[in-house]
Amino acid sequence: MSEHAGDPSALSESADQETVRELADIPAVEVISRAAVMLMSSAAEKLGLADEDPDSSPRRDLDEARRVITALAGLVTASVEYLGPHAGPIREGLQSLQRAFRESSAHPDAPGAGPGEKYTGPVY
């Protein structure tokens, strides 16, 4: 029997070490891509794009969408050299979200002032 059999903190530590080892085996491009996809999905939900009528979506939250889109833009800009062939589709997704944000806003930001545009440049 294990020397840590009755110690829950030892089990948690063991599970954490196993998770860390698994993460170490995942290439950086995959970690970055997964993070980008998660941010894109979150932004789409916060823009209400998953609903039939985004304008009346109870989940719509433009302030939160702005934050997530800006974080995505920063991630994409900072890691474009590592993403290789994955950069194009992720950038296109980001630009689509930026345009959707502009269309969803009652008072759209000036070009270059929208979410993430300080990293990506103006999106029209």
Side-chain angles (χ1 to χ4, degrees):
M1 187 173 223
S2 170
E3 64 187 65
H4 303 294
D7 184 359
S9 64
L11 291 175
S12 176
E13 184 178 316
S14 174
D16 288 345
Q17 288 175 349
E18 187 174 310
T19 301
V20 170
R21 275 189 239 118
E22 290 173 10
L23 286 173
D25 295 335
I26 301 172
V29 68
E30 189 173 337
V31 173
I32 295 166
S33 297
R34 284 183 186 186
V37 168
M38 183 179 289
L39 290 168
M40 289 167 55
S41 297
S42 176
E45 287 288 334
K46 291 176 187 316
L47 288 170
L49 298 178
D51 298 322
E52 285 186 32
D53 184 10
D55 292 333
S56 65
S57 171
R59 293 182 289 217
R60 187 171 171 193
D61 186 338
L62 295 182
D63 288 336
E64 285 287 303
R66 176 184 295 277
R67 291 179 183 110
V68 175
I69 293 169
T70 300
L72 174 62
L75 174 66
V76 171
T77 301
S79 54
V80 71
E81 67 183 275
Y82 305 116
L83 291 172
H86 303 281
I90 292 173
R91 275 188 172 167
E92 289 172 15
L94 169 59
Q95 289 175 350
S96 293
L97 290 165
Q98 288 171 313
R99 281 192 291 276
F101 183 92
R102 183 173 301 284
E103 292 169 7
S104 297
S105 297
H107 304 286
D109 297 314
E117 291 182 18
K118 69 180 179 181
Y119 301 115
T120 63
V123 174
Y124 301 95

